[in-house]
Amino acid sequence: MYFPYSLFVLFFYFSLPSLSFPFSKRTISDRPAIASNFPDPAFLEVDNIFYAFSTTNGKQNVPVATSPSFTTDWTILQDHDALPELPGWTTGNIWAPSITRLPSNGLFILYFSGTDRASGSGKHCIGAATSRTITGPYSPQPTPLICDLEAGGAIDASPFHDPVSGTLYLTWKIDGNSLGGGGPCGNADSKHSTPLRIAPLDPQTGTSFLGPATTLLDRGRYDGPLIEAPSLAYYAPENLYLLFFSSNCYKTKLYDTSYAVSRQILGPYVKAKKPLLLSGDFGGKLKSPGGAEVSADAGRIMFHADRKAGDASVREMWVGELRVGKGVVTI
C-alpha cells in the first residue's frame, strides 16, 4: 500500500559553459511504493495505467507491477512473468529491464541484460524482446544486442525517444567493474572504465542499431568504482538533456542517484555538484537509493532503496516527482 507523500526540499546548482541552472525542489513518497524486493525498476504509461518492471526476483525473470496513478496503489502482478522464455544466448540472471513503445507500429520493446552462455564468464549481454501487449509475454530476439565482454559486458539498457530529433536511442553501461580489482562490486583499484554509452536504434524494430555508439560519461574521482543505470530525459523549457545515473557500489551505503546535463544529446555532459539522492535523505528513510529511471520529460522518477542499510537483499521501490526551473519551484 502507498500513502500520501510528504515534501522535502533540496536545491542543487550546476553549471555549463555560459549557463547556470538550479535543480528544482523535489517531492518524494514518505514510504516505499512497493515494500518488497523490486530492484532496478523501469516504467511506462499506457492507456492511463502505469506499468513497472524489475530485475528478476528469483522466480520471475521480469516481474511486473501496475498503478492507476504512479504515486499510489502499486500492485505486483503475482506469478506473472513478462519474459517467461529466455533466449538461448543467456543462462538467466536477468537484470534491469526497461521498456519502450515504438510510435511507428505500437510494438512494445523490452530491453534486459542476462548472463552470457557461450563465454561462461558470468558477464552480461543486453538483449531485446517484443510484444503487442505491455505486460507480455515478450518474445526475445535470438541474439544479443550488445555484449562487449572484453570490456566487462553490458548492462542497464534504457531507451529514449529524443523529442528534438525524433531519434530513438538506447543507453547502457559497460560493466568494466566486473573485470575484477577487489571490493564488493569490483574495480576498487580503479583500473577499469565503466562508461555510459548511447547509440541510435532502428525506429521500425527497436532491435538493431543504425549507428555507432558514443560515450556520454564515465566515472570520476567521486564516483567510486563505477557509474551505472543511465536514464535520459529532456526538459524542453530550458532545452536541457539530463542524464541520470547511479555511482558507487550498490552493496554499500555510498550508492546514490546523480545526474549530469548537456545542451546536446551526445554531450558533453557536466555532472551536478551534488547527487540527487543519497543515503540518509528524507529523514534517514532512504538507504542506498539508485537504479533510477526518469520519465522522458524529467517529471517523474522511480528508483530502489535498501530496506536495511548496507543490505541489498531487499531493495524496495520508491517513486517521486521532479521539477526543473531557474527559480523557486512550488509543488
Side-chain angles (χ1 to χ4, degrees), residues 4-328:
Y5 53 82
S6 306
L7 303 180
F8 69 102
V9 180
L10 190 59
F11 290 90
F12 296 99
Y13 290 87
F14 52 84
S15 61
L16 287 168
S18 302
L19 300 171
S20 181
F21 303 94
F23 195 85
S24 74
K25 179 192 291 187
R26 58 185 179 169
T27 176
I28 194 171
S29 54
D30 64 356
R31 62 190 63 197
I34 294 179
S36 59
N37 197 38
F38 205 84
D40 305 311
F43 66 94
L44 189 68
E45 182 183 7
V46 178
D47 297 331
N48 300 314
I49 300 293
F50 290 89
Y51 297 83
F53 303 78
S54 88
T55 281
T56 182
N57 58 15
K59 295 180 180 180
Q60 287 80 42
N61 292 314
V62 179
V64 183
T66 65
S67 167
S69 67
F70 189 77
T71 56
T72 60
D73 299 326
W74 281 96
T75 301
I76 295 176
L77 302 184
Q78 296 297 326
D79 301 320
H80 181 80
D81 192 342
L83 189 66
E85 300 293 331
L86 296 178
W89 60 262
T90 181
T91 58
N93 198 19
I94 304 302
W95 292 353
S98 193
I99 192 165
T100 193
R101 190 176 194 180
L102 301 181
S104 60
N105 54 29
L107 193 66
F108 294 98
I109 313 295
L110 179 74
Y111 302 96
F112 61 93
S113 61
T115 304
D116 178 60
R117 182 187 299 275
S119 68
S121 64
K123 295 177 175 57
H124 278 64
C125 298
I126 289 171
T130 63
S131 175
R132 285 292 174 187
T133 59
I134 179 67
T135 55
Y138 284 81
S139 301
Q141 299 294 296
T143 57
L145 267 175
I146 315 155
C147 279
D148 216 346
L149 297 177
E150 291 185 359
I155 64 172
D156 295 345
S158 179
F160 176 67
H161 292 268
D162 181 12
V164 176
S165 67
T167 304
L168 174 62
Y169 288 97
L170 191 71
T171 61
W172 68 93
K173 173 209 175 184
I174 295 299
D175 201 22
N177 52 291
S178 72
L179 295 172
C185 283
N187 208 29
D189 57 9
S190 300
K191 291 184 177 180
H192 305 292
S193 296
T194 62
L196 307 182
R197 291 185 174 165
I198 189 171
L201 287 163
D202 184 340
Q204 298 300 317
T205 67
T207 58
S208 61
F209 290 112
L210 293 182
T214 299
T215 294
L216 297 178
L217 203 67
D218 206 340
R219 62 181 187 83
R221 59 182 298 190
Y222 300 114
D223 295 318
L226 59 88
I227 57 174
E228 61 186 13
S231 182
L232 265 175
Y234 178 71
Y235 185 62
E238 301 294 348
N239 185 31
L240 271 183
Y241 290 94
L242 299 103
L243 176 62
F244 294 83
F245 62 95
S246 286
S247 61
N248 291 289
C249 174
Y250 80 98
K251 297 178 181 179
T252 72
K253 297 177 183 179
L254 295 177
Y255 198 57
D256 62 30
T257 297
S258 297
Y259 61 95
V261 298
S262 176
R263 288 294 194 190
Q264 305 293 329
I265 190 167
L266 298 183
Y269 282 84
V270 177
K271 293 178 182 177
K273 293 180 180 179
K274 296 181 180 179
L276 175 64
L277 296 168
L278 288 165
S279 290
D281 278 356
F282 197 36
K285 291 184 178 181
L286 293 186
K287 305 170 185 70
S288 304
E293 178 150 297
V294 175
S295 60
D297 63 355
R300 295 185 173 99
I301 186 170
M302 178 180 285
F303 62 95
H304 70 241
D306 294 349
R307 175 179 293 176
K308 182 181 178 182
D311 180 359
S313 62
V314 178
R315 289 173 284 172
E316 301 170 320
M317 190 185 91
W318 292 69
V319 297
E321 295 179 352
L322 300 173
R323 297 291 185 269
V324 185
K326 289 184 176 181
V328 176

